[in-house]
Amino acid sequence: MDTWNDVTIRLLGPVTPVKDAVPIPIRGQRQRRFLASLALRPGQFTSKEAIIEDSWDGEPPPTVSGQLQTSAWMIRTALVQAGLARDALGSHDHGYELRVPPQCIDLFVFREAVRVVRDLYARGQHREASERLDAALALWKGPAFADVTSSRLRLKGETLEEERRAAVELRALIDIGLGRYNDAIARLSELVERDPFREDLYVCLMKAYYAEGRQADAIQVFHRAKDILREQIGISPGERMTRVMQAILRQDENALRAGTPREVTVPAGAEPQVLSPYGSDAAGRRRCRPSA
């Protein structure tokens, strides 16, 4: 039987297992929800209660036990037909286990790549960080869990989207470090449009404009942010944004360095996994460990 080496489970977009770039058919909505729930906990036991919560938003039908068994059988059959061993999906009395390394699930590949990129950025290795982060962001094929109907999974997907936005923000900081100010301005402007109450985005955008030599535009960003914050949520710009504005007015280069990328709290049920060192690709992705 083949190992998981050539298989990736995609959660960042439609829920799809892929082997050698060819999708493994998982046709039913119940099966995709079931697979997504297990893939959030790779290599770990997942209780039936957790799967039910993810799949039916905690309101299962009377036939739920049979539907779980059928979903497990259909997914296992699809994986076996793709060349994986039957025990790739393990069954327990009270739950199931997807016996897949986290390195073969795009969400965990993305997180590991972002971790590597943060380290590279902190060391000033902006060019390599840029290449790795581009590869990591390319893993997103749409909103997480894009083709599932579970409200609980969609809510987790919205939280994962915040991780993607933080990565785009980091990408903009890297652009600034590389002198690609217009690219940074374009990325940050899009993020501000989507999330107009995030002060740290305005701060980064102000710095990008200033670095491009557009001091007036940087000042305009501050005043626009101040108006939005006051009129829509009743607050004034915070201390950090105010300090950056003052630094721009003083043209204080040392105070206007790009800064530290934002961290994002990982949602419950999608905790990051520790990846074993079996080599890595250009995205910072660790290769899957061969089966014994």
Side-chain angles (χ1 to χ4, degrees), residues 34-284:
F34 187 102
L35 179 62
S37 183
L38 295 182
L40 284 170
R41 308 166 183 89
Q44 300 178 17
F45 168 81
T46 302
S47 69
K48 291 180 180 178
E49 288 77 12
I51 299 170
I52 289 169
E53 190 69 29
D54 285 339
S55 299
W56 286 279
D57 297 325
E59 299 180 0
T63 58
V64 64
S65 180
Q67 291 194 32
L68 287 175
Q69 292 176 5
T70 300
S71 293
W73 177 82
M74 293 179 72
I75 292 171
R76 186 180 292 115
T77 299
L79 296 177
V80 168
Q81 289 176 349
L84 294 169
R86 290 192 61 81
D87 66 356
L89 175 55
S91 300
H92 304 269
D93 290 342
H94 302 291
Y96 298 88
E97 178 185 351
L98 187 63
R99 293 169 179 154
V100 54
Q103 304 94 304
C104 295
I105 298 176
D106 60 358
L107 168 60
F108 298 100
V109 174
F110 171 76
R111 285 179 173 162
E112 173 69 356
V114 171
R115 184 194 66 77
V116 170
V117 167
R118 288 181 185 279
D119 290 342
L120 291 169
Y121 175 78
R123 296 199 299 268
Q125 297 174 244
H126 295 156
R127 193 167 301 281
E128 184 178 356
S130 169
E131 294 172 356
R132 287 177 178 257
L133 190 51
D134 283 346
L137 287 167
L139 294 171
W140 287 77
K141 311 299 182 186
F145 314 116
D147 60 346
V148 299
T149 56
S150 160
S151 298
R152 184 177 177 86
L153 287 174
R154 285 293 182 88
L155 183 60
K156 289 182 179 181
E158 291 174 7
T159 309
L160 295 177
E161 173 64 17
E162 180 62 16
E163 293 188 44
R164 189 195 70 82
R165 291 181 185 176
V168 174
E169 183 181 337
L170 172 57
R171 184 67 180 83
L173 292 177
I174 293 169
D175 283 334
I176 294 173
L178 290 169
R180 301 171 181 168
Y181 306 124
N182 285 327
D183 289 343
I185 289 167
R187 296 181 201 277
L188 291 165
S189 296
E190 181 180 352
L191 290 175
V192 164
E193 288 298 320
R194 293 183 179 182
D195 195 353
F197 305 132
R198 279 259 315 280
E199 290 192 36
D200 50 350
L201 292 178
Y202 290 112
V203 167
C204 291
L205 184 56
M206 290 163 65
K207 290 181 177 182
Y209 272 123
Y210 182 83
E212 178 64 8
R214 298 165 63 179
Q215 184 180 18
D217 288 323
I219 294 171
Q220 184 178 16
V221 168
F222 175 84
H223 289 295
R224 182 169 49 128
K226 181 175 68 174
D227 290 343
I228 290 172
L229 294 172
R230 283 181 175 172
E231 293 173 6
Q232 299 194 32
I233 57 177
I235 66 172
S236 298
E239 181 182 353
R240 184 184 176 208
M241 188 186 296
T242 302
R243 284 201 315 268
V244 169
M245 176 61 172
Q246 292 170 349
I248 289 171
L249 293 173
R250 295 194 312 269
Q251 299 184 0
D252 185 344
E253 304 291 341
N254 290 330
L256 291 169
R257 301 195 184 280
T260 303
R262 182 171 55 99
E263 297 284 356
V264 176
T265 302
V266 174
E271 293 78 6
Q273 304 295 312
V274 176
L275 303 185
S276 301
Y278 296 103
S280 60
D281 64 18

Side-chain angles (χ1 to χ4, degrees), residues 278-291:
Y278 296 103
S280 60
D281 64 18
R285 168 178 175 163
R286 304 296 180 91
R287 299 190 195 94
C288 305
R289 181 180 186 177
S291 298

